[in-house]
Amino acid sequence: MNPPKPVSSENTQILPTEETLPAQMDGEAQEDSRSGHLIAGIGASAGGLEAFKAFFSAMPPDTGIAFVLVQHLDPEYHSTLAEILADFTSMPVYRAADGTVAEPNTVSVIPPNSMLRISGGVLRVAKLETMAARRSTVDIFLTSLAEDQAENAIGIILSGYGSDGTAGVAAIKERGGFTISEAEFDHYAKLGMPRSAAAGGFVDRVLKVEEMPAALVELARLKASLPVAHLAEAKPDVGRQLNTICAILHSRLGRDFSEYKVNTLVRRVRRRMQVLRVADVGEYIELLRARPDEPELLFREFLIGVTRFFRDPSMFESLTATVIRTLVADHSVSGIPIRIWVAGCATGEEAYSLAILFSEEMLRAESRVTATIFATDIDERSITFARAGLYTEAIESDVTTERLRRYFIRDGARYCVSKQIRDMCVFSVHDLVKDPPFSKLNLVSCRNLLIYFGTRLQRRVIATFHYALRPHGILWFGPSEAVVSSERLFTVIDKRSRLFRRLDVAGEVQVPALRSRPTSSVAARPPEVDELDRELVRIMDPHTPAHILVDAHLEIHKFSGPIARFLEPVSGEAKLNIAKLLHRALRPSAATLVRRAIESQRVAHDRVNIVIAGSTLALDLIAEPVAVLIGAEQYAVLIFRERGTAAPPPAAQSGDANANELDTQRELIAAREKLQTITEELANANEELQSSNEEFQSVNEELHSTVEELETSKEELQSINEELHTVNAELSSRAESLQRSNSDLNNLFESTSVATLFLDSDLRIRRFTPTVGEIFNIRDGDEERLITDFACKLTGEPIVETASTVLRTLIPVEREIDSEGANQTFLVRITPYRATSTVIDGVVITMVDISERKRLERDRAHLAAIVESSEDAILSQDLQGTITSWNRGAQTIFGYSEAEMLGKPMTKLLAKNQIDDWPKYLRLLQEGESISDLDVSRTTKDQKTVHVSLKISPIRNEQGSIVGASAVARNITERKAAEERLGLLMAELDHRVRNILAVVRSVVGQTLKARDAPDATCQDVEGRISAIARAQSLVTRHGGFEGSLKSLIETELAPFRTESNVLITSDLSKEVWLCSDASLTLGLALHELATNAAKYGALSAPGGQLEVIWRVATMEQQTQVEIQWIERGGPPVAVPSRRGFGTVLIERSLVHRLAAVVQRNFLETGMHCLIRFALAADLGRVAPVNSQAREIS
Amino acid sequence: MTRHKILVVEDEPILAFDIETTLEDMGHETVGPVGRLSEAAALIDEKQFDCAILDVNILGGHITSLAESLLDRGVPILLATGYDNFALSERLMQLPRLHKPYSSEELQTEVRRLCDRTEARAAE
């Protein structure tokens, strides 16, 4: 039921007496250690810094509150939190050290990698030992703060993930402190910690960070106006009004707290007042009446309690050893289910703990007996929480790892109780004060609950437990509780562990308790008898008439005086009821009198004659109601006053008695006797009714508990129903996804080109894709037939046999198999078919046509072989110029192996002077241009110089974008050497030819001289030989194959040139290269023309001028070369009289060799000659100026 | 016109003869001619001469060192060669040259210039 279970460590000190409990609970005993001012512990994790800043920005520096910040910190990180916060508050900010005093208006910050406690207002810093402790530094500090400061403690939970701090604020609230957590909608908040704290129900206010300081200021103000010293005085004030408060609660919520311990209630009411900032009790009662939710809030306040798994472990061990083991063993034999009642289960931890212990024991004993744990509590919210069975990570400290693993399921940051344990527990809302109990229980656990009850309520509850337990059933209390004043009902088994055994005695079932309705006089105590009273009673006892104290139900509560004579117990169950215990003659009228007295509240009396020990005794029976109400009960005192012996029979008295009167007398006596008999019968019937009533009552009780159980079951069923709904929804969504998968599969089968064949373990066809038909002769409808019945197109090892092997060995097989005729190749893969249950259920054969791939592979290998065998270096590079492939030719040329060069930059292959140009080349490549004829002179690995000609071309991918470049480097060292040799050779040849020509000239010259030939002849011969030599020399200078027309003209005219007599006009943009023959022929012709000009023409006289104009033109699709020879200013010209050798050279040889058109006009002004010839391919070529011929240096 | 003693080094006998006759026709005295490098070297030390006409490539090697030692002595030199600039040292490149095959006119012109330089030197 209502489990205001006090916080852990304290309760070992709590004795269940009124005197000690409140002092401890209120922390008054620790008054000295109090610093007297408020101390606020502020816990935060992720996002804490922002929240701290906001908090202190709004916090006035003179509230008198000491602040202690506990922030989760990285152990390695040097935190500057204190320094940062100093900028946001004018209060001094310290990094807490061991011994720092939490003084008012200061801020202390937890140092990294440590945990903080507070003791006597002094901070204690210890090193963090475990990871678990690191996650609970806030809890650790707040708990110690609660213990140390009680009502002066303030717990604030700011931003952070996880659940640290939840237990801490619970502790603070439990001890009367004030708690705040950050609001959900606060933009600073990481909600884990604040939400967890608020969800625990221990948070007084949920505020935004900016609003917290105002709340604290208000609190501090209230504290100041209500100093601790005055609280004791305030208490009676509250105490006096407690009846009113309880009455309001009862009328609003139907909950009766009238018999709870006063001090506890007072403390909790005061706390509510603190939260509401109300100083006056009367004012609070007004609020309680006026606000619709305040009774509920106060009720929650009364119920605050925390519990833990395996709280007081030693007691649990003892329980296991002495009770659980025996119970399980006994019930395993009998097979009767074990019934346990956890009264006041709060959030279910204890019930689950017991369930775990029973479960473990049953496992150990290999027992199949079932145990049902009825767990009840007055608080519906707690029960809902317990039913969910979801707990935070904080339970890790209470539950062993082994148990966590076995009995809990991790659900994110929470642990969910496993189904096995959950199913053992039945949770229901139940008020121990007014609801009927469970019955036939083997164990009742009611821990840390009675400490909140008054003595009478305690006794009644213990009696209820006596009723509920089976004979020898076990009652288990908390560490500070005992069966005080009920020793008759229970005997101690283990005092230390608070285990008691039910004694098989008549119970004290206090039926009225079941119907009791509290009244406003709740606080009334049974009249206490002091010493003097007791003495008076002792003295008066013999003198007073016998009397008994009974209640409205005729139960006897007290005997007094010489009562024994009037008693005559009925055989059967011993009862303290006047209907069972009084003398037979007294029963009817006694019962009537008592009822009358109580109903009318007036004294009632009657006269009765009874026969005791043969003599008749006249009695005055007087029933007087007791004016005071005891509890809810009304009492009456029944007094037996003797009036002496009754008169003798009237017959003996009257001598002359009137016969009539005698008759009447007799009749009266007979009637009286008859009445007596009837009365007795009535009394008996009454008794029977009473006992039936009692039976009904107990049946009713059973029924009640059955109904509770049914309700619980109903809820269970509902939740099962919900689960089924969920499962159903899941199943239908799964069915849907299955359908989708199926249709996907069908589509895949239809569209795939991979021939796939599913065979079962007998090699029957289960399923296949249409393409399988190309290989096996299978058609639709051939499912379920043996694959061996079908012909297969593939050669080599039969697939079917391989499939059998795979089925046997379970090792997948992969083969490449040619089709018949070898025009197709298939990649056949045979793997075992694993059903989802991992059972092997056949094989899957996939056949992929890889003919194309094969062909490509062959082509590739072919190309690779070409590249590899090439003597040229063939390599590739990416766009950044990094080498990506390197063939053997490259290795041969450069000396570096593939391994040495892959990944190296291309620049490694370039000559120094080319490296600067490389980015330009790279850019060209990226733009898609090739680089050809890049001649590189390079030092190889073995320090030889090679000349290579490099050609680099871009490589494009399929999309046409450039992805790299291929480079082919040809070793041209030999070519270079050959060229050099050739150059030497040509030079030598030239030299020899010139020498020979020189010799020829000398021989001819000497010969002519010897014959006295004229000088002119000699000069002609020499000039012609020189012309030949010059033409030859020009050709040789350009490689021996061709010579420049321009140079030829200039060279041949050079000997005749004086200052400005020769003007050469040429086509500046073009250069005509003539082959050596043409060059020689034209050279000789030009020499003749020049010689003639010098002898007879323009060059023979001063002032004469020669102009040579040559040009190249395209005429009739031929390249025509035209040379005009124009002489002017010379002596008059005459047409030569005869055609000499010179003319032959000019006209014949040109026409003959060059197919030229030669026109010579001997004009008066001077000779004009036009030479025009088509530049046929065998004569020469035209090239742009500057495009050098292959000149040999 | 002064009669000069001119050293002629030419390994082609006909050309040597041609030069010799040309020089005689021009009224100069020929020292040599020699066509072998060793003979030429010996002749330099034995005989007196005013200037020299040297073929570059003669039997037994190149006349470079010989020519340079003559230049050191200040002897004017005319080079006759079938090569272009090929294989000439920097210093020799500066010298007047007769390109083979040269006409007798060219030869006479260059010899005349050589003699002019010789006289100019003697005058210093």
Side-chain angles (χ1 to χ4, degrees), chain A residues 994-995 1001-1002 1006 1022 1029, chain B residues 15 18 84 100-102 104:
Chain A
R994 289 197 209 190
N995 259 350
R1001 190 203 60 78
S1002 294
Q1006 293 295 329
E1022 278 182 353
Chain B
L15 291 184
D18 196 23
D84 284 327
K100 289 183 183 175
Y102 40 82
S104 33

Side-chain angles (χ1 to χ4, degrees), chain A residues 1013-1025:
Chain A
D1015 276 357
T1017 311
C1018 290
Q1019 276 165 10
D1020 278 2
V1021 171
E1022 278 182 353
R1024 284 170 185 156
I1025 289 173

Side-chain angles (χ1 to χ4, degrees), chain A residues 984 987-988 990-991 993-995 997-1003 1005-1006 1009 1018-1019 1022-1023 1025-1026 1029-1030 1033 1037 1055, chain B residues 10-12 14-19 21-22 25 55 57 81-84 86 99-108:
Chain A
L984 279 171
E988 189 60 32
D990 186 37
H991 173 231
V993 168
R994 289 197 209 190
N995 259 350
L997 286 174
V999 172
V1000 167
R1001 190 203 60 78
S1002 294
V1003 169
Q1006 293 295 329
K1009 208 185 243 177
C1018 290
Q1019 276 165 10
E1022 278 182 353
I1025 289 173
S1026 294
R1030 279 193 296 273
S1033 178
R1037 204 175 296 158
Chain B
E10 168 63 65
D11 62 347
E12 188 57 64
I14 295 173
L15 291 184
F17 174 70
D18 196 23
I19 295 170
T21 40
T22 306
D25 287 350
D55 184 15
N57 226 6
T81 173
Y83 297 108
D84 284 327
F86 189 69
H99 291 283
K100 289 183 183 175
Y102 40 82
S103 63
S104 33
E105 199 182 315
E106 283 166 342
L107 178 60
Q108 286 167 18

